Amino acid sequence: MDSKFVVNIGRQLGSGGREIGEKLAARLGIDFYDKELINLASEESGLCREFFEKADEKASQGIIGGLFGMRFPFISDGAMPATNCLSNDALFKVQSDVIRRLAAEKSCLFVGRCADYILRDHPRCVNVFISSTTEDRIIRLCRLHSVSESTAEEMIRKADKKRSEYYNYYSFKTWGAAATYHLCVDSSALGIGGTVGYIEEFVKRKLDL
């Protein structure tokens, strides 16, 4: 049996999802991917990194040009085109190909970017959603970004809307809904360290590691 496995983490902004993912990947001895996927997608497609940054976890704005499955002519360090002729759908496909390739090569952990849907046919995967209380999310964002509580609340509102629209659009499932994942956990209940340990135990038991 193939021993490779993947852990996919969905998360609310301010829930500590990225930190939990990093620590979990380290404890499981597997590679961690979050924003790193933007660099890889840019390198493999030859497209400017800015394309992927602007489209990162955003639903399609409408398809502009049939670019699926093509190699793109824009060079990463070249001039940006005057108009954005690449749809978010096309960029999603490029990033999806990178995620599938990485999962085929080795065990890894992905944060966000619909990885659980992209890897829905992977025989050994665990899909987790991490939430947190609004109060804890605000406190965390204020500390990490040195912003006011009102700014943190606005960041949360916008991020929840963007991530849910992105996930629901591409996966045809519901972002954050229990039925979408194998495990949903509130990081406020156990703290970051406790949540890492809890998910680690769940992953090991589900995959018989």
Side-chain angles (χ1 to χ4, degrees), residues 6-12 20 24 109-112 116 125-131 167 175-177 180-186 195 198-200 202-203 206:
V6 293
V7 179
N8 303 306
I9 292 183
R11 76 286 183 225
Q12 291 181 327
I20 290 167
L24 178 62
L109 184 148
F110 298 101
V111 173
D116 58 330
C125 70
V126 179
N127 302 323
V128 180
F129 188 83
I130 299 171
S131 62
Y167 186 88
W175 182 77
T180 301
Y181 310 90
H182 296 121
L183 176 69
C184 293
V185 59
D186 179 351
T195 302
Y198 182 78
I199 299 174
E200 179 186 16
F202 182 87
V203 170
K206 183 179 185 300

Side-chain angles (χ1 to χ4, degrees), residues 3 14 25 28 47 55 80 85 89 94 101 105 155 204:
S3 62
L28 292 172
L47 281 166
M80 287 283 285
C85 59
D89 286 352
V94 173
R101 176 183 63 77
E105 292 175 353
M155 290 170 66
K204 288 181 175 179

Side-chain angles (χ1 to χ4, degrees), residues 16 27 38 76 79 122 140 142:
R27 285 170 66 157
I38 293 176
S76 296
H122 195 290
R140 184 178 183 85
C142 288

Side-chain angles (χ1 to χ4, degrees), residues 10-13 129 137 159-161 163-165 167-168 171 173-177 180-181:
R11 76 286 183 225
Q12 291 181 327
L13 181 69
F129 188 83
R137 294 171 72 187
D160 284 355
K161 182 175 186 293
R163 290 178 180 175
S164 63
E165 286 177 349
Y167 186 88
N168 298 351
S171 73
K173 294 184 179 181
T174 303
W175 182 77
T180 301
Y181 310 90

Side-chain angles (χ1 to χ4, degrees), residues 132-152:
S132 185
T133 65
T134 300
E135 180 183 17
D136 282 357
R137 294 171 72 187
I138 290 172
I139 291 171
R140 184 178 183 85
L141 291 175
C142 288
R143 185 180 74 247
L144 289 176
H145 302 289
S146 299
V147 296
S148 66
E149 289 189 8
S150 60
T151 299

Side-chain angles (χ1 to χ4, degrees), residues 5-37:
F5 66 93
V6 293
V7 179
N8 303 306
I9 292 183
R11 76 286 183 225
Q12 291 181 327
L13 181 69
S15 66
R18 178 186 168 88
E19 182 181 353
I20 290 167
E22 281 188 298
K23 291 181 176 179
L24 178 62
R27 285 170 66 157
L28 292 172
I30 62 178
D31 287 345
F32 171 85
Y33 294 98
D34 182 10
K35 293 288 186 183
E36 296 81 1
L37 289 169

